[in-house]
Amino acid sequence: QVQLVESGGGLVQTGGSLRLSCAASGIVFAIYTMGWYRQAPGKQRELVAAITRGGTTNYADSVKERFTIARDNTKNTVYLQMNSLKPEDTAVYYCNANMRPWSGYDYWGQGTQVTVSS
């Protein structure tokens, strides 16, 4: 059974930092692309950052230079370091594991709330 378990969310003031973690089990972690998505109230879920099995990263324009995604294949864990947080970063953050474009290998965590107060 595949499980993605996020942790590290919480309440932080504008300009603060948080580090999210996502521990994966039930998959061969090293061969998956790992991503962080977020969904704010009334908005669609959007990609925040992703890292391929080869270590290539990509970021949403809104978080470039502030957020960093990293993976530790020895721990089956992906991280999202979030610095200089803004109120507009407030959302539920979801961990994703996928092997797109192949279908049938796309998994989600339960989400963790990040709230940035102004």
Side-chain angles (χ1 to χ4, degrees), residues 65-91:
E65 309 301 330
R66 299 189 298 123
F67 290 10
T68 302
I69 189 169
R71 66 190 298 159
D72 185 341
N73 290 343
T74 67
K75 297 181 178 180
N76 288 0
T77 301
V78 62
Y79 305 96
L80 185 68
Q81 178 66 44
M82 305 186 292
N83 298 329
S84 303
L85 282 161
K86 305 175 181 180
E88 50 264 43
D89 295 318
T90 295

Side-chain angles (χ1 to χ4, degrees), residues 10-21:
L11 174 64
V12 65
Q13 291 186 330
T14 296
S17 297
L18 284 174
R19 188 176 83 153
L20 305 183
S21 300

Side-chain angles (χ1 to χ4, degrees), residues 9-118:
L11 174 64
V12 65
Q13 291 186 330
T14 296
S17 297
L18 284 174
R19 188 176 83 153
L20 305 183
S21 300
C22 171
S25 61
I27 59 172
V28 182
F29 180 83
I31 66 173
Y32 276 75
T33 290
M34 300 300 298
W36 287 97
Y37 290 71
R38 67 186 180 187
Q39 188 167 19
K43 295 188 176 181
Q44 289 190 331
R45 191 173 297 189
E46 63 176 358
L47 175 67
V48 176
I51 183 167
T52 68
R53 61 183 183 180
T56 300
T57 58
N58 69 288
Y59 297 90
D61 287 343
S62 59
V63 307
K64 284 180 180 176
E65 309 301 330
R66 299 189 298 123
F67 290 10
T68 302
I69 189 169
R71 66 190 298 159
D72 185 341
N73 290 343
T74 67
K75 297 181 178 180
N76 288 0
T77 301
V78 62
Y79 305 96
L80 185 68
Q81 178 66 44
M82 305 186 292
N83 298 329
S84 303
L85 282 161
K86 305 175 181 180
E88 50 264 43
D89 295 318
T90 295
V92 177
Y93 283 70
Y94 296 91
C95 178
N96 173 265
N98 74 80
M99 293 184 69
R100 300 168 196 159
W102 292 279
S103 62
Y105 302 94
D106 207 318
Y107 306 105
W108 294 90
Q110 82 287 349
T112 186
Q113 176 71 46
V114 171
T115 302
V116 185
S117 63
S118 56

